[in-house]
Amino acid sequence: MRGMAEPLLDRALRASRRLRVNGESRAHYVICGQDPLAYWVVRTMLAGETQAGRVRITLIVPERRRSPGPDGRDLPGIEVIRADRLDEVTFRRAGLADAAGLALLHQDDVGNMHAALCAQEVEPRLRLVVRMFNTGLANGVRQIFPDSAVLSDASMAAPAFVAAALGEIAPTHFRHGGRTLYVARRDDVRPSEIVCGVADTRDAQQDLVLPADDRDADVVLAEAVGRPAGTELAARRLVRARRRRRPVAVVLRAIRSFATRKIGIAVLVLLAMVAALGGLYANAAHVGWGDALYLTLVTTLTGQDPDTAKSAAEQVMQVVLNLAGLALIPLITAVVVDGVVNARLALHTGRILPERSGHVVVVGLGNIGTRVMAQLNDFGVEVVAIDKSADARGAGLARRLGVPLVVGDAGQEETLRAASVATCQALVVVSTDDGANLRAALNARALDDQLRVVLRLFDGDFAERVQRAFGIGTSRSVSYLAAPSFAAALLDRAVIATIPVGRHALLVTEVPVAAGSDLDGRTLATVGRAGSVRLLAHARAGQRLDWSPDPRMVIVAGDRLTVVARRAGLNALLREVAPPEPAPPSGTPLPREAAE
């Protein structure tokens, strides 16, 4: 019993750790990061503040900015500490001893583990959220830190990239209240299995999420009843693309890559000259074309004993052919040497690959690219990867899976042609450089203007402008998709699922109604808002979920509401279910606005 009670005591202790700042009760959270994930987590937490649950955030970042995108250090309303080492000294400077939670968001599994051990020395009873690429370490982390959450932003976002590349709905599925729910197209499920409408995606220019009328939604949330759900449903549809090998094209590409252009031109010019001289030699010697070919090759390659009995024309042709032979032999040697070197480089970088069609090209084998490549391979889809480095994070996995890796700049047409981009079904560009991603996408569209491109861009406004200007309709932000789950874990709230729809991220969560809150005493019909919040289920305290509640039912304190909502809609709902702000202590002067 004591072991079961300790987590509850820890949570009560964290709930009591609130600072009185300007008369407000504020929970303190420390966030460590250096990339856009830290930025979006901070923004999510600030946007979700309630009047009775304001937060104080301390962000620890390196001395110098280490990524081109924002990392949160410039956001207003937070305290920023610059430190290159996450050790006990840094955590004490950040006030970790009085914090309710710590988020370690660096892209370094070992570094995050070391920082967690240092934080434990400062505050043993701490809510810990750790970002890790290798989720296999999660069990080990939980053994050391019982009250912890280990999350992978790559694992959360990869299914959305995979689904967009294949033209499918993101394979989201989850279990809640005894039901398994998944996202599907309305045409793929029976009407009796539909729980609610999610989005109307038939307009290519804009996705309408959570429409007022469920019948307007072509993407729905359905219950899995005796059939595969989520990823299994998507996987069942996919058929492995056939390789279309073209032997002649492969030979021509190999010949083109065998020698440099200048050497090739020199050889062709010299051979043309030898052929012309051979024709003249045949006329001068009055022999047939067969004998002329023999005499020309022997004279050019090996030379001939001088013969003064020959005519003057034959002697001149023989001298010129011998001189041509002196130039041809070194050129042949240069072609062989240059060809061997180029062939080895081409094999190493993957430039000599068979022609393919129907495959998916993944650019960038970092955290997210590695996950996307692995999931596509699991679905039986042929994949070709491109990365600037042969030692990229996912290069080893690519070799084990038999995925060809083209080493080069994806912004160059030669690199894209080596991966057969012109005949692939989709291009997924997921490197960390927005500029490089856009160059690769535009150059690929120049090869095939109908190519489906899935683009990773951090800046949402930039992505929308790119979509309008170039017709690149799908762009994703890994950090934006994953941030709500990290923020919810840090606040000790459970996000049941995240549903990506276009550039939107819908959250499925369960929220309790506090006594005296704005929703206490109102009807269930007031919970939902078109385009913002949709009520899925309702439960009284201690009772099971009702998936078809009467909208006229009155909400009472202790009720639990399961909703699917956009981020802004969920933040507004959290404010409505929060307890009222406590009255100021007796004798505390009221703010000037209230006094007036």
Side-chain angles (χ1 to χ4, degrees):
M1 293 296 294
R2 180 179 179 182
M4 296 177 60
E6 285 183 354
L8 297 177
L9 293 175
D10 291 342
R11 295 190 180 189
L13 179 61
R14 284 198 309 273
S16 66
R17 287 179 184 160
R18 294 182 177 272
L19 301 180
R20 300 297 300 183
V21 180
N22 296 329
E24 294 180 346
S25 177
R26 306 177 68 185
H28 182 206
Y29 296 95
V30 179
I31 300 175
C32 308
Q34 59 182 22
D35 62 10
L37 180 60
Y39 169 85
W40 280 114
V41 169
V42 173
R43 281 197 56 177
T44 301
M45 294 187 66
L46 292 177
E49 288 184 341
T50 63
Q51 292 299 320
R54 296 188 181 276
V55 295
R56 170 182 166 234
I57 297 176
T58 299
L59 178 64
I60 303 177
V61 295
E63 288 285 351
R64 296 182 179 179
R65 197 185 299 270
R66 298 182 181 178
S67 64
D71 57 8
R73 70 179 69 203
D74 300 323
L75 288 174
I78 65 173
E79 179 185 358
V80 177
I81 293 180
R82 291 174 170 80
D84 291 327
R85 286 180 55 85
L86 295 179
D87 52 19
E88 296 180 38
V89 176
T90 301
F91 286 136
R92 293 188 189 279
R93 283 176 54 200
L96 188 65
D98 62 19
L102 169 67
L104 301 172
L105 306 181
H106 289 281
Q107 296 191 51
D108 180 1
D109 290 358
V110 176
N112 285 341
M113 178 69 79
H114 178 265
L117 294 172
C118 292
Q120 192 180 42
E121 296 294 327
V122 177
E123 177 49 62
R125 297 186 177 186
L126 185 70
R127 175 65 176 170
L128 183 66
V129 177
V130 185
R131 174 192 194 179
M132 281 196 171
F133 176 77
N134 184 3
T135 53
L137 298 175
N139 291 332
V141 173
R142 294 190 185 99
Q143 289 179 3
I144 302 174
F145 310 99
D147 192 11
S148 63
V150 179
L151 305 176
S152 169
D153 56 331
S155 296
M156 295 176 189
F161 284 90
V162 171
L166 300 172
E168 296 285 341
I169 298 298
T172 302
H173 69 284
F174 58 93
R175 186 165 180 81
H176 180 63
R179 289 187 173 189
T180 298
L181 306 179
Y182 68 101
V183 180
R185 296 196 182 278
R186 182 182 291 273
D187 296 338
D188 296 332
V189 298
R190 291 188 289 267
S192 60
E193 298 171 359
I194 297 176
V195 176
C196 75
V198 172
D200 182 0
T201 62
R202 288 167 290 194
D203 186 352
Q205 298 298 321
Q206 183 178 8
D207 294 325
L208 178 62
V209 297
L210 301 178
D213 190 344
D214 273 356
R215 293 171 295 183
D216 294 336
D218 64 323
V219 177
V220 299
L221 191 63
E223 182 181 6
V225 181
R227 64 170 60 193
T231 52
E232 292 80 4
L233 179 63
R236 187 183 62 183
R237 290 178 167 190
L238 301 178
V239 178
R240 184 176 181 85
R242 297 178 180 176
R243 292 186 178 185
R244 187 172 60 187
R245 299 180 182 273
R246 299 175 181 175
V248 176
V250 173
V251 171
L252 292 177
R253 290 175 66 189
I255 292 174
R256 286 199 303 266
S257 64
F258 192 70
T260 61
R261 181 182 295 272
K262 291 183 179 180
I263 292 180
I265 292 175
V267 171
L268 291 176
V269 170
L270 189 56
L271 289 176
M273 186 177 68
V274 170
L277 290 173
L280 295 175
Y281 188 79
N283 291 332
H286 303 290
V287 296
W289 281 103
D291 293 336
L293 177 62
Y294 165 73
L295 292 173
T296 300
L297 292 176
V298 171
T299 302
T300 304
L301 298 177
T302 64
Q304 228 180 16
D305 293 335
D307 186 358
T308 56
K310 292 181 177 181
S311 65
E314 288 182 89
Q315 291 178 359
V316 170
M317 292 300 104
Q318 183 177 353
V319 171
V320 174
L321 285 171
N322 284 331
L323 292 175
L326 293 176
L328 183 60
I329 292 175
L331 277 176
I332 293 176
T333 303
V335 168
V336 172
V337 173
D338 189 61
V340 170
V341 173
N342 280 348
R344 290 177 64 89
L345 290 175
L347 290 174
H348 178 69
T349 59
R351 291 203 309 269
I352 301 179
L353 294 176
E355 290 286 337
R356 290 171 165 82
S357 65
H359 58 293
V360 175
V361 178
V362 178
V363 177
L365 288 185
N367 288 350
I368 183 66
T370 301
R371 298 282 188 185
V372 171
M373 175 187 67
Q375 290 190 16
L376 287 170
N377 183 79
D378 291 342
F379 284 167
V381 178
E382 187 178 9
V383 183
V384 175
I386 300 176
D387 198 281
K388 290 183 177 180
S389 173
D391 300 321
R393 182 161 203 165
L397 179 61
R399 287 190 291 269
R400 291 194 296 272
L401 296 177
V403 173
L405 173 60
V406 179
V407 179
D409 183 1
Q412 301 294 325
E413 182 178 337
E414 179 185 5
T415 305
L416 296 174
R417 288 190 181 277
S420 301
V421 167
T423 55
C424 71
Q425 65 170 300
L427 173 70
V428 183
V429 191
V430 288
S431 77
T432 57
D433 186 341
D434 279 8
N437 290 348
L438 181 58
R439 286 195 301 272
L442 295 180
N443 287 335
R445 275 293 179 86
L447 298 177
D448 179 8
D449 58 358
Q450 299 299 318
L451 178 65
R452 182 187 298 122
V453 177
V454 183
L455 191 60
R456 176 183 183 179
L457 292 176
F458 170 78
D459 191 325
D461 179 68
F462 181 46
E464 292 180 1
R465 294 178 185 276
V466 167
Q467 177 178 343
R468 290 195 301 267
F470 303 107
I472 299 175
T474 305
S475 60
R476 305 284 192 206
S477 169
V478 176
S479 303
Y480 181 84
L481 292 174
S485 295
F486 280 87
L490 189 58
L491 294 169
D492 211 2
R493 296 173 185 158
V495 172
I496 300 169
T498 301
I499 303 174
V501 179
R503 289 196 53 79
H504 306 287
L506 301 179
L507 306 176
V508 181
T509 186
E510 185 178 74
V511 296
V513 179
S517 64
D518 291 343
L519 281 183
D520 188 5
R522 297 167 65 180
T523 63
L524 290 176
T526 61
V527 175
R529 294 180 179 84
S532 181
V533 179
R534 177 66 51 80
L535 179 67
L536 296 180
H538 165 266
R540 297 290 191 193
Q543 297 181 10
R544 301 182 61 181
L545 284 175
D546 180 6
W547 291 91
S548 300
D550 186 343
R552 297 170 298 179
M553 183 180 296
V554 176
I555 302 172
V556 298
D559 285 2
R560 293 176 289 121
L561 308 175
T562 301
V563 299
V564 55
R566 298 180 66 177
R567 187 178 310 188
L570 179 59
N571 291 335
L573 179 63
L574 290 174
R575 287 192 289 270
E576 290 182 328
V577 300
E581 184 177 2
S586 177
T588 302
L590 294 175
R592 178 177 301 177
E593 294 81 359
E596 293 176 351

